Amino acid sequence: MPPTGFHHVELWVADLALVEPSWSWLLGELGWELYQNWPAGRSWRIGDMYLVVEQSSAVRPGLPYDRLRAGLNHLAVHAPDRGTVDRIQAAGPANGWQHLFADSYPHAGGAEHYAAYLADTAGFEVEVVAPAERGPDLAG
């Protein structure tokens, strides 16, 4: 059976120059590689998935993006370990990300969920999730 999951995700932004540095930093920290680079956009990939951030000429003018309106609320991405989540949480503000739910970091998603919640300057939220810790092996 072929793999399932996302092939790619495309975020349309009003100002690529405003958000590209923060996305480039975050995805680079998570091991994503720059995949495509053109005047109106960038894409990064990891494995066979990729993420596009594009300032498309087809974007309709109007209200700015609001993650609390109908549509995309946030992207959740895997981190390889808790140390990476901690490093991203610590360095996020210096790289264009603001903390969300900082008062309950790293367990804003619950006691068993270890994640950083960040928003870029355009308001897009990313949840950086560490793998669940495995308990002691109780077999045998």
Side-chain angles (χ1 to χ4, degrees):
M1 182 159 118
T4 62
F6 290 109
H7 182 270
H8 71 278
V9 173
E10 197 164 319
L11 297 177
W12 282 10
V13 299
D15 186 344
L16 179 65
L18 180 67
V19 300
E20 189 273 336
S22 58
W23 283 95
S24 182
W25 170 79
L26 177 67
L27 296 173
E29 289 292 306
L30 293 170
W32 294 60
E33 296 179 350
L34 185 63
Y35 177 46
Q36 298 168 315
N37 183 350
W38 66 103
R42 307 287 179 273
S43 71
W44 296 266
R45 73 175 166 188
I46 192 162
D48 61 355
M49 298 177 294
Y50 65 98
L51 173 70
V52 176
V53 177
E54 180 179 4
Q55 184 176 331
S56 172
S57 61
V59 170
R60 291 185 185 147
L63 296 173
Y65 171 76
D66 183 344
R67 69 181 184 82
L68 299 178
R69 289 198 168 98
L72 179 71
N73 175 263
H74 70 280
L75 294 176
V77 295
H78 291 286
D81 52 49
R82 288 180 174 203
T84 300
V85 172
D86 292 339
R87 189 174 69 250
I88 288 170
Q89 176 77 0
N95 288 281
W97 295 93
Q98 72 176 30
H99 293 142
L100 299 175
F101 321 117
D103 57 335
S104 53
Y105 176 78
H107 299 291
E112 301 298 319
H113 189 70
Y114 199 98
Y117 294 82
L118 306 166
D120 75 0
T121 54
F124 288 102
E125 179 186 340
V126 174
E127 178 182 349
V128 182
V129 184
E133 284 196 337
R134 296 176 59 168
D137 186 2
L138 302 177

